[in-house]
């Protein structure tokens, strides 16, 4: 009965998010749902499945899926990757988009917002380079709870210290009674939206840079290919895609190929991998 109940929960997660709860990850179910068990007065997953079958509305199903999602994130996660964006990729995008003076970035699977805020901090840190530019950062996640937290943008002392030094904390955040909040110029760059990566983005914009890190690893091969197709459809022809350390496009899709010189970065098939050569990459020169 326990295996049967866990399979029902796994099927629910797959149906709602596309994420696969493999046998190797089934151990997470009990711990991930423990808070929901307490709130609902339940003892085990079998009781939860029975209650799900009896519920006339969708609230419990949504709560179950939300509890199973992994929202692990922190500021400047894998800092060398963000250094690479600041020192190399963003300057190349600036050179290519000099005429329009506009850059669009998508943080797909943004969780509670730290990745998007990190991107806005990098832009702010290069204020002279981006003076007069329009910077749009769209941050999406399948979790409504995570998006609400990201919009509230109030981080605890523990959250604020994960990835940030004291100087960055004081420069880019303000302390409030509810926690640390990014300054207005940081928040104004970002728009948050609940969005399933497998669904079309309701936007006509094409993104110059897409970050989709530690999301695809939860998909099966077929779903991963569909996700890559969605990402490719949303990207500018010469855009950049950043994946997580344990992810790759190799053998997964024909839509992207690895960047020859930059670890963790991928280009749409057919993009010129040498575009922007010769740009100034000294960050100090543009502060």
């Amino acid at each position: 009965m326990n295996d049967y109940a866990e399979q029902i929960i796994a099927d629910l997660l797959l149906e709602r998010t596309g994420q696969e709860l493999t046998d190797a990850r089934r151990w997470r179910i009990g711990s991930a749902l423990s808070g929901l068990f307490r709130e609902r007065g339940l003892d085990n997953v079998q009781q939860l499945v029975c209650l799900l079958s009896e519920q006339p509305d969708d609230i419990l199903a949504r709560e179950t899926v939300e509890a199973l999602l992994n929202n692990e994130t922190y500021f400047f996660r894998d800092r060398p990757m963000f250094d690479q964006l600041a020192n190399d990729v963003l300057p190349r995008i600036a050179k290519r988009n000099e005429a329009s003076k506009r850059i669009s970035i998508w943080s797909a699977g943004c969780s509670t917002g730290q990745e998007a805020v990190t991107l806005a901090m990098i832009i702010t840190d290069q204020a002279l380079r981006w003076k007069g530019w329009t910077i749009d950062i769209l941050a999406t996640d399948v979790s409504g709870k995570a998006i609400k937290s990201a919009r509230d943008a109030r981080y605890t002392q523990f959250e604020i210290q994960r990835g940030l030094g004291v100087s960055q904390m004081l420069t880019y955040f303000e302390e409030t009674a509810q926690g640390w909040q990014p300054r207005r110029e940081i928040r104004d760059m970002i728009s948050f939206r609940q969005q399933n990566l497998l669904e079309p983005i309701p936007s006509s914009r094409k993104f110059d840079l897409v970050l989709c890190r530690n999301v695809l690893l939860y998909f099966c091969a077929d779903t991963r290919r569909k996700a890559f197709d969605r990402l490719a459809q949303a990207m500018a022809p010469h855009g950049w895609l950043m994946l997580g350390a344990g992810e790759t496009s190799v053998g997964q899709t024909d839509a992207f190929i690895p960047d020859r010189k930059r670890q963790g970065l991928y280009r749409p098939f057919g993009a010129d991998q040498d575009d922007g050569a010769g740009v100034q990459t000294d960050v100090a020169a543009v502060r």
Side-chain angles (χ1 to χ4, degrees), residues 30-213:
S31 58
L33 296 177
S34 59
L36 184 60
F37 288 167
R38 288 193 298 271
E39 293 173 8
R40 295 282 182 161
L42 305 174
D43 294 322
N44 52 55
V45 69
Q46 293 97 322
Q47 291 180 357
L48 174 61
V49 168
C50 290
L51 195 58
L52 281 167
S53 67
E54 298 168 358
Q55 288 288 327
D57 55 46
D58 196 47
I59 296 175
L60 180 58
R62 291 201 305 269
E63 290 177 348
T64 301
V65 170
E66 289 277 358
L68 290 168
L69 294 172
N70 182 3
N71 292 319
E72 168 69 7
T73 186
Y74 51 90
F75 297 102
F76 287 94
R77 186 177 185 180
D78 303 321
R79 185 175 286 268
M81 299 299 296
F82 285 100
D83 291 342
Q84 189 172 222
L85 291 183
N87 298 341
D88 188 3
V89 175
L90 286 173
R92 291 174 184 273
I93 294 174
K95 182 177 180 180
R96 176 170 288 279
N97 292 8
E98 180 61 35
S100 66
K101 290 193 178 300
R102 187 182 189 109
I103 178 173
S104 295
I105 303 173
W106 178 19
S107 170
C110 68
S111 186
T112 48
Q114 284 92 322
E115 180 175 89
V117 173
T118 297
L119 290 165
M121 290 169 61
I122 290 174
I123 298 292
T124 303
D125 199 38
Q126 299 181 352
L128 291 181
R129 166 165 285 149
W130 302 109
K131 184 177 181 180
W133 284 65
T134 299
I135 310 295
D136 297 314
I137 301 174
L138 173 65
T140 66
D141 199 275
V142 71
S143 169
K145 183 178 180 181
I147 288 297
K148 181 181 184 304
S149 179
R151 286 181 179 142
D152 291 342
R154 297 294 203 281
Y155 298 102
T156 66
Q157 190 69 36
F158 172 75
E159 290 171 327
I160 204 73
Q161 290 179 332
R162 294 191 71 192
L164 294 181
V166 174
S167 176
Q168 288 175 309
M169 179 181 72
L170 297 177
T171 299
Y172 297 111
F173 291 80
E174 299 171 323
E175 190 173 14
T176 72
Q178 294 77 36
W180 290 86
Q181 184 175 46
R183 295 186 181 276
R184 171 59 65 182
E185 61 268 28
I186 298 291
R187 304 200 309 273
D188 285 348
M189 286 187 218
I190 311 168
S191 58
F192 291 101
R193 179 188 302 161
Q194 184 178 3
Q195 175 77 33
N196 191 326
L197 176 60
L198 301 176
E199 298 172 352
I201 295 293
S203 171
S204 59
R205 76 177 75 177
K206 294 294 184 180
F207 296 98
D208 304 291
L209 173 64
V210 175
L211 286 77
C212 184
R213 305 194 303 154

Side-chain angles (χ1 to χ4, degrees), residues 7-22 25 28 58 60-71 108-109 140-147 194-200 212 214-220 222-228 230:
Q7 185 59 54
I8 291 176
I9 296 299
D11 290 344
L12 177 64
L13 180 67
L14 180 64
E15 177 188 354
R16 298 295 181 94
T17 70
Q19 295 190 16
E20 188 176 31
L21 198 58
T22 62
R25 296 179 60 230
R28 290 190 63 250
D58 196 47
L60 180 58
R62 291 201 305 269
E63 290 177 348
T64 301
V65 170
E66 289 277 358
L68 290 168
L69 294 172
N70 182 3
N71 292 319
T140 66
D141 199 275
V142 71
S143 169
K145 183 178 180 181
I147 288 297
Q194 184 178 3
Q195 175 77 33
N196 191 326
L197 176 60
L198 301 176
E199 298 172 352
C212 184
N214 306 308
V215 177
L216 302 180
L217 55 86
Y218 296 117
F219 295 159
C220 68
D222 288 343
T223 305
R224 198 174 298 127
R225 279 191 291 272
K226 182 178 179 181
F228 274 122
R230 292 295 189 202

Side-chain angles (χ1 to χ4, degrees), residues 245-256:
E247 298 168 320
T248 181
S249 71
V250 177
Q252 310 290 325
T253 178
D254 294 329
F256 293 95

